Amino acid sequence: MMRGKSVLVTGSTSGIGLGIARAFAAQGANVTLNGFGDPHAVEEQRRGIEEEFGVAAAYSGADVTKPDEIAAMIGAAEDAFGAIDVLVNNAGIQFVAKVEEFPVEKWDAVIATNLSAVFHSCRCALPGMKRLGWGRIINIASAHGLVGSAGKAAYVAAKHGVVGLTKVVAIETADHGITCNAICPGWVMTPLVAQQVEARARATGKPFDAAKREFVAEKQPMARSTSPEEVGALAVFLAGDAAGTITGASYSIDGGWTAQ
Ligand code: NAD
């Protein structure tokens, strides 16, 4: 179903984005990876995907806080694969502090990475999708796109913004064969969350595993985190034919976090 399609996943050198890129490659899609990281490790991931799944994989080192670098990345993917059929906006960062102590430059960085980048990549990819008369945009929001938590002002504001932006893009593209949806994961044990668990372990003197159990249970009725593979499978479903009329939706995959 995805064979020959071109899929661009921002922030796919790690965690959820890498899981999503691998899930699409496993379905036969050609993928463009993006994100930071050690060049040798990134090249190993890229080549590993080509060898394991028999697809073409490209890499862009674009910094998604820079609109001109996003435009260049979209252009390069269109040139390499003829189109971008599926755009997954996944790159994201976190910073935790109370509102009155939140460093202004951290607020700006979280909004630029987690929200403005989604606008810019949609803005740049939509003309090509409209020409094609087909496209899928999948925005990785968060449970924090639906509910708040103390200490996460910028992240929660950005993710609520992504859920709203998703609805507008869905409405504007409804007659163009394009859908736009958000995925709202609960805890996924990636470096982004592991650093928060480590901070908890340090603050409480508890071992990492105990701090992790506490961390998950605090928010989720289900005591286990979601895997990047599970998020990847949901993204593949949303890109498929059966999801043709699903648009403007926000899919929770959160162990019951937002059911409460
Ligand atoms: P991660 O830290 O493992 O990966 C983040 C990726 O984004 C990396 O590839 C990194 O290089 C890239 N990135 C960061 N800043 C970038 C920039 N300026 N330009 C280009 N790439 C950049 O984090 P993750 O947990 O896999 O998070 C991925 C997405 O999922 C984020 O949007 C995050 O908010 C969201 N999310 C994560 C969780 C979770 O529990 N881990 C839950 C809900 C939502």
Side-chain angles (χ1 to χ4, degrees):
M1 170 189 69
M2 286 289 139
R3 184 147 304 277
K5 291 232 186 293
S6 157
V7 181
L8 169 66
V9 187
T10 69
S12 47
T13 53
S14 169
I16 294 173
L18 183 57
I20 292 172
R22 290 178 55 81
F24 276 103
Q27 299 293 316
N30 299 319
V31 296
T32 301
L33 302 176
N34 158 255
F36 302 142
D38 167 59
H40 294 292
V42 171
E43 173 55 17
E44 237 169 70
Q45 278 162 355
R46 190 200 65 76
R47 214 186 32 240
I49 286 176
E50 288 195 332
E51 286 169 4
E52 187 173 345
F53 302 115
V55 299
Y59 166 70
S60 160
D63 177 345
V64 301
T65 64
K66 309 220 164 91
D68 54 336
E69 293 191 21
I70 292 180
M73 170 173 66
I74 300 278
E78 287 173 339
D79 288 348
F81 298 118
I84 294 174
D85 299 293
V86 182
L87 168 67
V88 184
N89 289 305
N90 166 81
I93 56 171
Q94 178 61 284
F95 191 84
V96 182
K98 291 205 168 89
V99 170
E100 68 274 27
E101 290 155 13
F102 216 94
V104 170
E105 67 279 10
K106 293 292 185 191
W107 168 273
D108 288 342
V110 172
I111 297 296
T113 310
N114 295 13
L115 177 58
S116 300
V118 182
F119 161 69
H120 290 298
S121 59
C122 289
R123 181 175 67 75
C124 295
L126 278 173
M129 288 183 174
K130 284 189 174 172
R131 269 196 305 277
L132 217 64
W134 198 91
R136 295 281 186 266
I137 298 177
I138 298 165
N139 297 326
I140 306 307
S142 169
H144 282 122
L146 305 170
V147 296
S149 287
K152 297 187 174 172
Y155 189 87
V156 168
K159 294 300 189 181
H160 275 67
V162 169
V163 168
L165 174 60
T166 299
K167 294 175 184 173
V168 174
V169 173
I171 292 164
E172 290 187 7
T173 58
D175 275 338
H176 295 272
I178 299 167
T179 69
C180 180
N181 292 290
I183 293 179
C184 298
W187 295 128
V188 184
M189 277 308 142
T190 66
L192 182 137
V193 170
Q195 73 192 22
Q196 298 173 60
V197 175
E198 272 154 21
R200 161 82 57 105
R202 270 196 309 277
T204 59
K206 291 188 176 148
F208 182 86
D209 277 349
K212 182 171 129 184
R213 268 197 304 279
E214 227 180 68
F215 206 76
V216 173
E218 205 172 80
K219 297 290 188 185
Q220 296 191 186
M222 195 179 287
R224 80 161 177 91
S225 49
T226 300
S227 68
E229 291 74 21
E230 288 169 322
V231 181
L234 178 53
V236 167
F237 168 74
L238 288 173
D241 292 339
T245 62
I246 299 177
T247 196
S250 296
Y251 267 70
S252 290
I253 175 165
D254 69 0
W257 181 332
T258 55
Q260 301 166 103

